[in-house]
PDB file of all heavy atoms in Angstrom:
ATOM      1  N   SER X   6      45.417 141.917  15.230  1.00 58.00           N
ATOM      2  CA  SER X   6      44.802 142.023  13.895  1.00 58.00           C
ATOM      3  C   SER X   6      43.305 141.736  13.899  1.00 58.00           C
ATOM      4  O   SER X   6      42.667 141.845  12.866  1.00 58.00           O
ATOM      5  CB  SER X   6      45.510 141.067  12.948  1.00 58.00           C
ATOM      6  OG  SER X   6      45.309 139.728  13.353  1.00 58.00           O
ATOM      7  N   ARG X   9      36.514 143.625  15.030  1.00 65.00           N
ATOM      8  CA  ARG X   9      35.160 143.241  15.453  1.00 65.00           C
ATOM      9  C   ARG X   9      34.231 143.181  14.247  1.00 65.00           C
ATOM     10  O   ARG X   9      34.308 144.044  13.344  1.00 65.00           O
ATOM     11  CB  ARG X   9      34.617 144.264  16.437  1.00 65.00           C
ATOM     12  CG  ARG X   9      35.418 144.336  17.691  1.00 65.00           C
ATOM     13  CD  ARG X   9      34.760 143.568  18.762  1.00 65.00           C
ATOM     14  NE  ARG X   9      35.509 143.663  20.000  1.00 65.00           N
ATOM     15  CZ  ARG X   9      35.809 142.620  20.738  1.00 65.00           C
ATOM     16  NH1 ARG X   9      35.422 141.452  20.374  1.00 65.00           N
ATOM     17  NH2 ARG X   9      36.487 142.773  21.837  1.00 65.00           N
ATOM     18  N   GLY X  15      29.925 147.847   9.149  1.00 62.00           N
ATOM     19  CA  GLY X  15      29.403 149.187   9.417  1.00 62.00           C
ATOM     20  C   GLY X  15      28.270 149.195  10.421  1.00 62.00           C
ATOM     21  O   GLY X  15      27.414 150.083  10.399  1.00 62.00           O
ATOM     22  N   GLY X  16      28.257 148.186  11.313  1.00 61.00           N
ATOM     23  CA  GLY X  16      27.216 148.122  12.324  1.00 61.00           C
ATOM     24  C   GLY X  16      25.965 147.385  11.890  1.00 61.00           C
ATOM     25  O   GLY X  16      25.054 147.171  12.692  1.00 61.00           O
ATOM     26  N   ARG X  17      25.891 146.994  10.616  1.00 69.00           N
ATOM     27  CA  ARG X  17      24.699 146.273  10.125  1.00 69.00           C
ATOM     28  C   ARG X  17      24.777 144.819  10.464  1.00 69.00           C
ATOM     29  O   ARG X  17      25.832 144.208  10.389  1.00 69.00           O
ATOM     30  CB  ARG X  17      24.587 146.465   8.628  1.00 69.00           C
ATOM     31  CG  ARG X  17      24.259 147.876   8.269  1.00 69.00           C
ATOM     32  CD  ARG X  17      23.955 148.145   6.783  1.00 69.00           C
ATOM     33  NE  ARG X  17      23.671 147.010   5.983  1.00 69.00           N
ATOM     34  CZ  ARG X  17      24.486 146.562   4.997  1.00 69.00           C
ATOM     35  NH1 ARG X  17      25.625 147.144   4.774  1.00 69.00           N
ATOM     36  NH2 ARG X  17      24.133 145.560   4.277  1.00 69.00           N
ATOM     37  N   ASP X  24      17.786 136.270   1.114  1.00 77.00           N
ATOM     38  CA  ASP X  24      17.674 134.937   0.497  1.00 77.00           C
ATOM     39  C   ASP X  24      19.019 134.268   0.316  1.00 77.00           C
ATOM     40  O   ASP X  24      19.117 133.261  -0.366  1.00 77.00           O
ATOM     41  CB  ASP X  24      16.963 135.071  -0.866  1.00 77.00           C
ATOM     42  CG  ASP X  24      17.743 135.906  -1.860  1.00 77.00           C
ATOM     43  OD1 ASP X  24      18.604 136.713  -1.432  1.00 77.00           O
ATOM     44  OD2 ASP X  24      17.495 135.800  -3.058  1.00 77.00           O
ATOM     45  N   PRO X  36      36.397 141.935 -12.027  1.00 76.00           N
ATOM     46  CA  PRO X  36      37.511 141.859 -11.061  1.00 76.00           C
ATOM     47  C   PRO X  36      37.338 142.890  -9.955  1.00 76.00           C
ATOM     48  O   PRO X  36      36.769 143.975 -10.192  1.00 76.00           O
ATOM     49  CB  PRO X  36      38.734 142.180 -11.897  1.00 76.00           C
ATOM     50  CG  PRO X  36      38.322 142.103 -13.310  1.00 76.00           C
ATOM     51  CD  PRO X  36      36.838 142.285 -13.369  1.00 76.00           C
ATOM     52  N   VAL X  51      37.755 135.835  -3.665  1.00 90.00           N
ATOM     53  CA  VAL X  51      37.373 134.440  -3.409  1.00 90.00           C
ATOM     54  C   VAL X  51      36.319 133.977  -4.415  1.00 90.00           C
ATOM     55  O   VAL X  51      36.286 132.825  -4.809  1.00 90.00           O
ATOM     56  CB  VAL X  51      36.845 134.288  -1.947  1.00 90.00           C
ATOM     57  CG1 VAL X  51      36.098 132.977  -1.763  1.00 90.00           C
ATOM     58  CG2 VAL X  51      37.995 134.397  -0.966  1.00 90.00           C
ATOM     59  N   GLU X  53      36.009 134.611  -7.539  1.00 91.00           N
ATOM     60  CA  GLU X  53      36.390 134.595  -8.956  1.00 91.00           C
ATOM     61  C   GLU X  53      35.832 133.351  -9.659  1.00 91.00           C
ATOM     62  O   GLU X  53      35.536 133.365 -10.845  1.00 91.00           O
ATOM     63  CB  GLU X  53      37.889 134.690  -9.114  1.00 91.00           C
ATOM     64  CG  GLU X  53      38.422 136.079  -8.813  1.00 91.00           C
ATOM     65  CD  GLU X  53      39.923 136.190  -8.946  1.00 91.00           C
ATOM     66  OE1 GLU X  53      40.609 135.167  -9.147  1.00 91.00           O
ATOM     67  OE2 GLU X  53      40.404 137.321  -8.844  1.00 91.00           O
ATOM     68  N   VAL X  65      37.353 133.733   3.878  1.00 90.00           N
ATOM     69  CA  VAL X  65      37.652 135.123   4.244  1.00 90.00           C
ATOM     70  C   VAL X  65      37.944 135.226   5.755  1.00 90.00           C
ATOM     71  O   VAL X  65      38.594 136.132   6.205  1.00 90.00           O
ATOM     72  CB  VAL X  65      36.515 136.053   3.808  1.00 90.00           C
ATOM     73  CG1 VAL X  65      36.719 137.491   4.284  1.00 90.00           C
ATOM     74  CG2 VAL X  65      36.371 136.051   2.285  1.00 90.00           C
ATOM     75  N   ARG X  73      27.326 137.206   4.829  1.00 91.00           N
ATOM     76  CA  ARG X  73      26.056 137.483   4.149  1.00 91.00           C
ATOM     77  C   ARG X  73      25.901 138.995   3.917  1.00 91.00           C
ATOM     78  O   ARG X  73      25.432 139.381   2.835  1.00 91.00           O
ATOM     79  CB  ARG X  73      24.894 136.955   4.970  1.00 91.00           C
ATOM     80  CG  ARG X  73      24.728 135.474   4.870  1.00 91.00           C
ATOM     81  CD  ARG X  73      23.529 135.019   5.670  1.00 91.00           C
ATOM     82  NE  ARG X  73      23.260 133.630   5.446  1.00 91.00           N
ATOM     83  CZ  ARG X  73      22.706 132.829   6.311  1.00 91.00           C
ATOM     84  NH1 ARG X  73      22.344 133.291   7.515  1.00 91.00           N
ATOM     85  NH2 ARG X  73      22.479 131.569   6.022  1.00 91.00           N
ATOM     86  N   ILE X  76      28.446 139.969   1.129  1.00 92.00           N
ATOM     87  CA  ILE X  76      28.024 139.477  -0.166  1.00 92.00           C
ATOM     88  C   ILE X  76      26.825 140.220  -0.693  1.00 92.00           C
ATOM     89  O   ILE X  76      26.807 140.619  -1.862  1.00 92.00           O
ATOM     90  CB  ILE X  76      27.736 137.956  -0.072  1.00 92.00           C
ATOM     91  CG1 ILE X  76      29.025 137.174   0.138  1.00 92.00           C
ATOM     92  CG2 ILE X  76      26.987 137.477  -1.305  1.00 92.00           C
ATOM     93  CD1 ILE X  76      28.814 135.725   0.542  1.00 92.00           C
ATOM     94  N   SER X  77      25.861 140.497   0.147  1.00 92.00           N
ATOM     95  CA  SER X  77      24.681 141.219  -0.318  1.00 92.00           C
ATOM     96  C   SER X  77      25.034 142.629  -0.763  1.00 92.00           C
ATOM     97  O   SER X  77      24.495 143.144  -1.722  1.00 92.00           O
ATOM     98  CB  SER X  77      23.570 141.222   0.731  1.00 92.00           C
ATOM     99  OG  SER X  77      23.929 142.026   1.840  1.00 92.00           O
ATOM    100  N   GLY X  83      26.793 145.417  -7.847  1.00 88.00           N
ATOM    101  CA  GLY X  83      27.076 144.870  -9.173  1.00 88.00           C
ATOM    102  C   GLY X  83      28.417 144.173  -9.299  1.00 88.00           C
ATOM    103  O   GLY X  83      28.859 143.858 -10.389  1.00 88.00           O
ATOM    104  N   ALA X  91      17.705 125.125  -6.812  1.00 69.00           N
ATOM    105  CA  ALA X  91      16.277 124.922  -6.683  1.00 69.00           C
ATOM    106  C   ALA X  91      15.952 124.238  -5.334  1.00 69.00           C
ATOM    107  O   ALA X  91      15.079 124.674  -4.623  1.00 69.00           O
ATOM    108  CB  ALA X  91      15.743 124.089  -7.807  1.00 69.00           C
ATOM    109  N   GLU X  99      21.751 114.571   3.606  1.00 87.00           N
ATOM    110  CA  GLU X  99      22.270 113.469   4.408  1.00 87.00           C
ATOM    111  C   GLU X  99      23.596 113.862   5.096  1.00 87.00           C
ATOM    112  O   GLU X  99      23.827 113.531   6.243  1.00 87.00           O
ATOM    113  CB  GLU X  99      22.438 112.217   3.562  1.00 87.00           C
ATOM    114  CG  GLU X  99      21.114 111.614   3.157  1.00 87.00           C
ATOM    115  CD  GLU X  99      21.251 110.499   2.135  1.00 87.00           C
ATOM    116  OE1 GLU X  99      22.310 110.411   1.465  1.00 87.00           O
ATOM    117  OE2 GLU X  99      20.292 109.721   1.983  1.00 87.00           O
ATOM    118  N   HIS X 104      26.531 115.396   9.996  1.00 85.00           N
ATOM    119  CA  HIS X 104      27.349 116.338  10.752  1.00 85.00           C
ATOM    120  C   HIS X 104      26.667 116.830  12.006  1.00 85.00           C
ATOM    121  O   HIS X 104      27.291 116.980  13.059  1.00 85.00           O
ATOM    122  CB  HIS X 104      27.766 117.527   9.861  1.00 85.00           C
ATOM    123  CG  HIS X 104      28.758 117.190   8.809  1.00 85.00           C
ATOM    124  ND1 HIS X 104      29.914 116.477   9.054  1.00 85.00           N
ATOM    125  CD2 HIS X 104      28.779 117.474   7.490  1.00 85.00           C
ATOM    126  CE1 HIS X 104      30.597 116.339   7.927  1.00 85.00           C
ATOM    127  NE2 HIS X 104      29.933 116.906   6.960  1.00 85.00           N
ATOM    128  N   SER X 107      26.867 114.153  14.595  1.00 83.00           N
ATOM    129  CA  SER X 107      28.224 113.997  15.198  1.00 83.00           C
ATOM    130  C   SER X 107      28.543 115.052  16.226  1.00 83.00           C
ATOM    131  O   SER X 107      29.476 114.905  17.001  1.00 83.00           O
ATOM    132  CB  SER X 107      29.278 113.984  14.103  1.00 83.00           C
ATOM    133  OG  SER X 107      29.411 115.267  13.531  1.00 83.00           O
TER     134      SER X 107
END
Side-chain angles (χ1 to χ4, degrees):
S6 64
R9 299 259 182 228
R17 292 186 17 248
D24 63 340
V51 164
E53 287 180 353
V65 175
R73 284 182 172 150
I76 290 168
S77 69
E99 290 171 341
H104 288 312
S107 69

